[in-house]
Amino acid sequence: MNQKQILELAIKMGAAADLRGEGAVEKYLDRQKKKFNALSPKKQTEFDKERLVNPYMDSGVWADNGRPVKKVMAGIDICSGDVMLAKSLGVDTIINHHPLGKGLAMLDEVMHLQADVLAMYGVPINIAESLMKTRISEVGRGVHASNSYKTIDAAKLAGVNLMNMHTPADNLVASFLKKAIEKKKPEYVGELVELIAGIEEYKESAKRGSPVKIFSGFEDRRVGKIALTEITGGTEGAKTIYREMANAGIGTIVAMHLSEEHRKNAEEAHINVVVASHIASDSLGMNLFLDELAKKGIEIIPCGGLIRVKRSKEG
């Protein structure tokens, strides 16, 4: 495989796991094509054509020497030092989870996914889009000044391939947890915590000092409707969304991470919040993807905080 094929596989798996359904992903790409076709020839030359095939623009290939990929270093947060380590280990490609380069600059673009997921759980789409618009603008301003090409520059100088997959991996986490929750049907918050904490990545995370935690609510409260609204879609959603979620009948949110302001607003709306450890969640999504690469004979070297758990014998 080459990096382009790896990215295509990530997009395919991410779309299949997308909580909105593959049809919604296809509709999004169709809209991008219509927008492109409506542009003047001059504007079309300026249009990023990656948008026509990649619905998750926070993921992409950033350094590519064209060589086939046989050995991968995979991590959650790879830095320039890890690039040099990868080179010394004979790694062909580094796959980072969190966005790099243009992927970080476009983090806000994937956040529109959250409005659709909120609507899926009963929040009126007009309200979800309105509240998310404010948060999306905030995130866009926040990443604007980032020095997002530092690691990419190091990879190019070292002659090591570099890519990242963010939302596709997060979609895999959301789908995995959704299926586990629907199978077990926890009634109480404590049961939900126990369910997530029993997954291997979260077990290891607990050993490392970051267990699954209740940020709002308590163990003996009933979960009500459980929403996976803060697992995928870029980063934390709108700070003011929780009252609307409560009005939609949502009783419990499963999140990767949550700011104090988000937590307080959820608490005021009487919504339980279970925070599934951030790095463990990221690792789960990456592992589900990396297992597929391992099945194709690619060697995986974990680094950069990745909690590697193999679910296939090839991994």
Side-chain angles (χ1 to χ4, degrees):
M1 296 184 80
N2 57 36
Q3 283 200 116
K4 182 174 182 289
Q5 291 169 326
I6 291 174
L7 179 61
E8 287 171 351
L9 177 62
I11 292 170
K12 181 180 178 181
M13 290 180 66
D18 199 305
L19 294 180
R20 301 169 296 175
E22 289 184 84
V25 178
E26 290 170 6
K27 281 177 68 176
Y28 172 82
L29 290 175
D30 286 342
R31 286 195 68 203
Q32 296 302 310
K33 290 167 187 171
K34 287 177 182 176
K35 287 180 181 179
F36 174 75
N37 291 332
L39 295 173
S40 67
K42 182 178 182 299
K43 289 291 185 182
Q44 284 186 350
T45 61
E46 299 169 357
F47 188 90
D48 186 348
K49 294 178 180 60
E50 178 73 14
R51 295 173 184 271
L52 302 177
V53 293
N54 184 358
Y56 311 115
M57 289 295 286
D58 61 348
S59 306
V61 173
W62 312 119
D64 193 353
N65 57 29
R67 291 198 292 266
V69 178
K70 296 179 181 178
K71 184 186 289 189
V72 160
M73 175 182 280
I76 306 302
D77 290 298
I78 294 292
C79 66
S80 298
D82 295 321
V83 171
M84 301 314 298
L85 177 60
K87 185 175 178 66
S88 71
L89 293 172
V91 166
D92 301 306
T93 289
I94 297 170
I95 304 179
N96 197 51
H97 173 59
H98 285 133
L100 299 167
K102 188 173 68 175
L104 180 59
M106 292 188 163
L107 178 64
D108 56 318
E109 293 208 6
V110 299
M111 293 180 69
H112 296 282
L113 180 158
Q114 292 188 41
D116 292 332
V117 173
L118 285 163
M120 185 181 81
Y121 284 111
V123 177
I125 189 62
N126 58 307
I127 294 174
E129 287 184 332
S130 178
L131 294 177
M132 281 303 303
K133 182 176 176 59
T134 302
R135 175 61 175 153
I136 289 168
S137 297
E138 180 184 313
V139 171
R141 292 191 298 273
V143 299
H144 186 262
S146 299
N147 182 7
S148 59
Y149 273 79
K150 184 178 178 182
T151 305
I152 295 171
D153 289 342
K156 287 179 177 178
L157 286 169
V160 179
N161 288 334
L162 176 63
M163 62 186 297
N164 88 278
M165 55 170 296
H166 189 226
T167 294
D170 287 350
N171 283 354
L172 292 171
V173 181
S175 177
F176 186 97
L177 292 177
K178 184 173 183 287
K179 289 174 183 175
I181 290 167
E182 288 174 349
K183 182 179 179 181
K184 288 282 187 177
K185 295 181 174 58
E187 185 178 357
Y188 292 90
V189 174
E191 293 173 355
L192 176 59
V193 170
E194 186 178 344
L195 187 163
I196 298 171
I199 298 168
E200 291 302 320
E201 286 85 351
Y202 298 101
K203 286 182 183 178
E204 178 59 29
S205 182
K207 292 176 186 176
R208 297 182 181 189
S210 184
V212 180
K213 281 192 173 184
I214 301 168
F215 273 35
S216 174
F218 46 87
E219 288 187 355
D220 291 332
R221 262 166 71 167
R222 278 176 277 199
V223 293
K225 187 198 293 185
I226 301 171
L228 293 154
T229 51
E230 304 204 14
I231 293 291
T232 189
T235 187
E236 292 165 342
K239 300 180 181 75
T240 52
I241 195 67
Y242 300 102
R243 184 63 62 187
E244 302 299 335
M245 294 174 80
N247 290 340
I250 294 170
T252 301
I253 298 166
V254 179
M256 277 199 195
H257 46 78
L258 205 70
S259 75
E260 187 61 13
E261 187 175 356
H262 282 78
R263 187 199 67 77
K264 286 179 179 177
N265 289 345
E267 194 169 60
E268 287 175 4
H270 309 291
I271 291 179
N272 305 308
V273 179
V274 172
V275 174
S277 314
H278 182 194
I279 303 305
S281 298
D282 286 343
S283 294
L284 172 56
M286 288 291 284
N287 286 331
L288 293 169
F289 176 70
L290 293 170
D291 283 349
E292 293 303 309
L293 294 187
K295 289 176 185 177
K296 299 179 185 299
I298 295 175
E299 181 184 350
I300 309 296
I301 300 174
C303 191
L306 174 68
I307 301 170
R308 180 72 176 120
V309 174
K310 304 169 186 177
R311 290 180 171 80
S312 67
K313 61 182 181 181
E314 294 89 351

